[in-house]
Amino acid sequence: MKTSRIALFASTLMCSTAFSAQAAELEVIHWWTSGGEQAAVSLLAKEFDADGQDSWRDSAIAGGEQARAVVMQRILGGDAPQAAQFNNSRQFEELAEAGLLLDLSDLAKKEKWRDVVRPKSILDPCEIDGKIYCVPVNIHSDQWLWTNKAIYKEVGLEEPQSWQDVIDQAGKIRDAGYIPLAVGGQGWQEDLTFDDVFMGVGGKELWNKVYVDRDEDAAKSPEVAKVFETYAKLRDLTDEGSAGRNWNDTTSLVINGKAAAQAMGDWARGEFVLAGKKAEVDYGCVPGPSEHPILTTGGDIFIFPKQDDADKEAAQLRLASMLLSPDVQVKFNTAKGSSPVRGDVDMASADPCMQKGLALLNDDANIALPKNAILSSDTDGRIQDLVSQFWNTPSMTVADVQDQFVHILQDGS
């Protein structure tokens, strides 16, 4: 979707800066549909409805890509929701550039978002041409291996600390009747697993050279070839029934003792919590897996499409403020499995898995940008398609996929 196309619709929308005390109903579109996610988002709705001034009208759409597509269509069709979830990335920059999003700069300045949001990279994607257009609500990291501790104990293995460990242990786990590594057969899950392998095998320096610096020699290097080789070996570790399987259904295989492990973002923790499982007792959480784990600082944000109703705009600003309030940050992220974006909240009650993530995030050396915050949506999507094709085409060689990978990076933005 080109900015020029979006701009054609910008003139049809009006934005009032007037504030009103009138109550307003806000439609909020999001893709939090799993059990753990629903428990977390219901806390946000409850908090927003609590004072009786405004109300949250929930519009949940399964799947991030599907939800974002609906939001874009609604905005361009002149029927925009009042708030919508996006990822902390470049996914919404064209909407902001076209003047279709509410400018939150005054609120951000008043509430000192730059002082309390950490790391700095979390708020950076919200700032476009010097103005703030989104509210980050959490920090999500993809680089986690979730394990069933009972399975590893039964087969007499320690939890894997590297991707090579995952591969080496697979035979013994399969012989015991378990799936060594559960992977949901959807493009974004296959891509997430690839990113985890890239970071775990290649490390932060290679990640930055390839994605941030667009170093062609790095992308063509034997180190990147090793990433693809390692990723290819994981195909034989999963089960035949993975095609089209949702991430939370894949997590359930670990929870219910059918699979030993799953590579998934820290939001998987919410599913274990909902199932009544205890961190580092029933399930494990291995960052990386890597001897020197690096976490990407992605997450979820909310944008607020412009309205022609002053009452709704005032309510949008109240919602934006609430999402970053200290109390809500603690409640929501504890339920969601993510980390708060505020660095000034007390998370002493966080479970061992959450504490691991917080400790790593406290040191910038352990942090990297997710590729969807670096690459355009088009380039990121093309890489996801390539990775999925490679995963599902065993006859595709490492040399072939690496050549196409390099071409996409050279051609993209």
Side-chain angles (χ1 to χ4, degrees):
M1 184 177 298
K2 300 297 184 182
T3 302
S4 57
R5 179 179 167 223
I6 295 176
L8 291 175
F9 294 87
S11 60
T12 68
L13 299 179
M14 298 174 59
C15 176
S16 170
T17 57
F19 286 81
S20 170
Q22 295 296 312
E25 179 185 73
L26 300 189
E27 181 188 6
V28 183
I29 293 181
H30 62 85
W31 59 80
W32 289 323
T33 57
S34 76
E37 290 173 328
Q38 287 176 339
V41 74
S42 68
L43 291 174
L44 296 181
K46 183 178 180 180
E47 289 289 330
F48 188 60
D49 293 349
D51 63 4
Q53 185 172 7
D54 305 301
S55 60
W56 173 300
R57 179 156 65 91
D58 203 73
S59 291
I61 299 172
E65 291 183 8
Q66 293 88 336
R68 287 191 296 273
V70 169
V71 171
M72 298 292 280
Q73 291 166 4
R74 292 272 303 273
I75 292 175
L76 298 180
D79 181 31
Q82 286 74 54
Q85 175 195 4
F86 272 61
N87 290 127
N88 196 339
S89 65
R90 295 176 60 186
Q91 293 168 348
F92 54 90
E93 64 182 1
E94 291 182 344
L95 293 173
E97 290 169 350
L100 296 173
L101 300 182
L102 182 63
D103 180 1
L104 305 173
S105 302
D106 289 344
L107 179 65
K109 183 177 180 180
K110 176 184 176 183
E111 297 186 348
K112 300 180 179 179
W113 291 1
R114 277 293 179 193
D115 294 336
V116 298
V117 173
R118 65 85 180 93
K120 180 179 179 291
S121 58
I122 289 296
L123 193 57
D124 284 348
C126 291
E127 185 172 341
I128 299 172
D129 295 331
K131 296 180 179 180
I132 301 294
Y133 290 102
C134 75
V135 180
V137 294
N138 56 18
I139 301 172
H140 268 313
S141 301
D142 294 348
Q143 293 73 28
W144 293 91
L145 192 72
W146 302 93
T147 65
N148 183 300
K149 283 188 168 289
I151 292 177
Y152 283 93
K153 183 177 181 180
E154 178 187 330
V155 299
L157 292 170
E158 297 292 326
E159 289 176 320
Q161 300 301 309
S162 69
W163 283 105
Q164 191 58 51
D165 286 348
V166 173
I167 294 167
D168 292 343
Q169 294 174 345
K172 192 170 184 180
I173 292 172
R174 193 179 291 284
D175 288 345
Y178 303 108
I179 302 166
L181 181 69
V183 179
Q186 295 175 331
W188 74 267
Q189 294 185 67
E190 295 157 356
D191 188 50
L192 181 148
T193 303
F194 173 75
D195 286 351
D196 288 2
V197 173
F198 193 123
M199 196 67 80
V201 173
K204 179 178 177 178
E205 183 177 355
L206 183 64
W207 177 275
N208 286 341
K209 282 183 178 180
V210 170
Y211 290 124
V212 179
D213 301 336
R214 301 294 181 89
D215 186 320
E216 184 177 345
D217 290 335
K220 292 179 177 179
S221 69
E223 288 78 16
V224 169
K226 185 179 179 181
V227 170
F228 280 109
E229 289 167 0
T230 304
Y231 181 66
K233 292 177 182 178
L234 301 183
R235 293 191 196 108
D236 297 330
L237 276 56
T238 191
D239 58 301
E240 294 181 358
S242 64
R245 187 172 58 212
N246 292 327
W247 72 268
N248 51 304
D249 295 325
T250 304
T251 305
S252 291
L253 295 175
V254 181
I255 293 173
N256 296 323
K258 295 181 179 180
Q262 175 196 21
M264 186 49 58
D266 50 13
W267 53 88
R269 177 184 155 277
E271 300 303 302
F272 287 96
V273 172
L274 191 67
K277 304 300 182 181
K278 292 185 178 180
E280 299 293 30
V281 175
D282 302 308
Y283 67 96
C285 45
V286 183
S290 172
E291 184 179 348
H292 303 289
I294 302 296
L295 299 182
T296 51
T297 51
D300 301 298
I301 60 91
F302 278 92
I303 59 169
F304 300 87
K306 280 187 176 180
Q307 306 291 308
D308 58 2
D309 184 317
D311 293 333
K312 288 189 182 295
E313 182 178 310
Q316 287 177 306
L317 292 170
R318 287 192 288 270
L319 175 55
S321 178
M322 184 214 78
L323 292 170
L324 268 182
S325 67
D327 185 53
V328 169
Q329 278 284 295
V330 172
K331 289 179 179 177
F332 171 71
N333 285 291
T334 298
K336 184 70 167 61
S338 47
S339 299
V341 298
R342 293 187 69 115
D344 59 349
V345 295
D346 182 6
M347 296 300 294
S349 62
D351 70 26
C353 288
M354 200 167 184
Q355 293 289 2
K356 282 186 186 181
L358 291 169
L360 287 167
L361 291 171
N362 281 335
D363 187 344
D364 286 345
N366 304 323
I367 296 172
L369 286 173
K371 71 174 188 283
N372 66 0
I374 304 168
L375 308 176
S376 68
S377 294
D378 177 67
T379 302
D380 186 35
R382 290 174 65 192
I383 290 176
Q384 176 178 305
D385 290 344
L386 175 65
V387 167
S388 183
Q389 179 187 4
F390 180 60
W391 177 264
N392 292 288
T393 313
S395 61
M396 192 174 185
T397 68
V398 168
D400 189 18
V401 71
Q402 189 171 6
D403 283 345
Q404 293 185 52
F405 180 69
V406 172
H407 176 74
I408 290 172
L409 288 170
Q410 290 175 325
D411 187 51
S413 60

